[in-house]
Amino acid sequence: MTMNDPAIEIINVSAVSHRANAPALLFIHGAYAAAWCWNQGFMSYLAESGYDCYALSLRGHGGSGGHEVLSLASLDDFQRDIAKAIEQIARPVVLIGHSMGGFLAMRHARQHPVAGLACLAPVPPEGLIGSTLHLMCWHPALLLELNCVQYAGQAPQLSKLRDLLFSSDLPDERLLAFARQFQRESDRAILDLSMQAMSYLWTACQRPQCPSIVLGGGDDVLMPAHQIHSAACALGVRAEFISGVAHVMMLDMRWQRVAERLKVWLEAL
């Protein structure tokens, strides 16, 4: 099912001092989040390094339209939002996607030219099957909590939210502030991601023709190492893991380690 394309929110943090010929950076959030998650220090850090930074909220998220029909939004709908944001930026972009946003960034880069592709704790080309089985075997209580939040509309238990997404030393006040901004995700998009294994062999053969990097969190329980390696393999690069960082890499205690690695990679483009 397709929907009329709603207005999308794009947050911009301009470079403090522009680098010559530097591409713009377009940040794509993961499930349950919105553009705000990149604007807690991550975008400012890279803007200070000379890059114009943009973060979009996919339809039904954050300040974008489409909340009333979020449950029907598909991955294809989200892809159109990304294409619209790139069109508005109107210059070469490096896509930086987290989790579901990493999957969407890879998918876009397989179909359209981009200046670069950075995937942070991405859902790999085969979708959510590996992550779901991992949680089912090793963290069933966390999987149950995730399903209760998505399908029963329950507010997340803060202790389980920390265990699932963040490092153990994230202060309670920061965890609570983030929890208040998280939201439900599209049921259709989660179904789409869960069915990706059926088309995995086809998509894995379509390697993006651009410089790429894949970063995983050393303490990530939601997207374990074998999933990160799978995404890196599909892009023809080696996965890298940032120690002391959990799944929500741009908000976690040691997010600067992730931003610093991205900065070094961007400078080498």
Side-chain angles (χ1 to χ4, degrees):
M1 179 176 181
T2 61
M3 301 179 296
N4 292 329
D5 291 339
I8 58 171
E9 173 187 40
I10 300 179
I11 296 174
N12 171 225
V13 179
S14 297
V16 174
S17 178
H18 286 88
R19 288 177 168 272
N21 302 316
L25 309 183
L26 177 59
F27 296 85
I28 308 168
H29 63 82
Y32 308 102
W36 64 265
C37 71
W38 300 104
N39 202 25
Q40 307 289 310
F42 211 89
M43 292 174 71
S44 295
Y45 180 94
L46 291 172
E48 289 173 1
S49 299
Y51 299 94
D52 287 327
C53 297
Y54 301 84
L56 83 154
S57 294
L58 300 168
R59 65 185 64 199
H61 297 76
S64 292
H67 282 261
E68 67 282 1
V69 287
L70 170 62
S71 63
L72 301 177
S74 68
L75 295 182
D76 288 340
D77 293 324
F78 292 161
Q79 296 293 158
R80 288 202 298 276
D81 297 338
I82 294 170
K84 181 188 293 186
I86 292 174
E87 183 180 3
Q88 291 183 26
I89 294 170
R91 54 186 286 201
V93 299
V94 171
L95 297 181
I96 302 175
H98 172 254
S99 196
M100 179 181 74
F103 178 94
L104 294 170
M106 283 189 282
R107 196 178 186 209
H108 182 91
R110 283 197 297 268
Q111 302 166 357
H112 307 280
V114 294
L117 174 63
C119 297
L120 312 185
V123 175
E126 64 268 30
L128 290 174
I129 182 67
S131 176
T132 300
L133 291 175
H134 172 78
L135 290 176
M136 189 181 299
C137 292
W138 299 103
H139 306 283
L142 297 183
L143 179 61
L144 177 62
E145 179 72 9
L146 190 59
N147 285 328
C148 287
V149 170
Q150 175 63 28
Y151 299 111
Q154 296 182 9
Q157 298 182 44
L158 290 184
S159 61
K160 287 187 169 63
L161 185 66
R162 178 187 278 113
D163 291 343
L164 186 66
L165 300 178
F166 296 101
S167 297
S168 59
D169 56 346
L170 184 76
D172 288 347
E173 60 271 17
R174 287 184 61 187
L175 178 65
L176 182 59
F178 297 151
R180 287 171 174 162
Q181 296 183 84
F182 286 132
Q183 62 170 84
R184 285 190 72 253
E185 190 47 67
S186 162
D187 297 324
R188 169 64 187 276
I190 291 177
L191 178 62
D192 286 350
L193 285 170
S194 300
M195 300 296 289
Q196 287 300 308
M198 299 176 64
S199 60
Y200 168 61
L201 292 178
W202 169 248
T203 58
C205 294
Q206 299 174 296
R207 180 172 294 173
Q209 301 301 307
C210 64
S212 302
I213 187 172
V214 176
L215 302 179
D219 298 334
D220 191 344
V221 301
L222 182 60
M223 206 57 61
H226 66 86
Q227 295 290 89
I228 306 304
H229 285 298
S230 179
C233 182
L235 296 176
V237 299
R238 294 176 64 91
E240 301 179 35
F241 293 87
I242 310 299
S243 63
V245 177
H247 184 67
V248 186
M249 305 174 79
M250 77 293 291
L251 297 175
D252 210 10
M253 286 297 292
R254 285 156 287 277
W255 64 264
Q256 292 95 335
R257 296 180 183 178
V258 185
E260 174 63 25
R261 180 64 189 97
L262 271 183
K263 173 186 171 184
V264 172
W265 176 75
L266 287 166
E267 290 172 347
L269 287 181

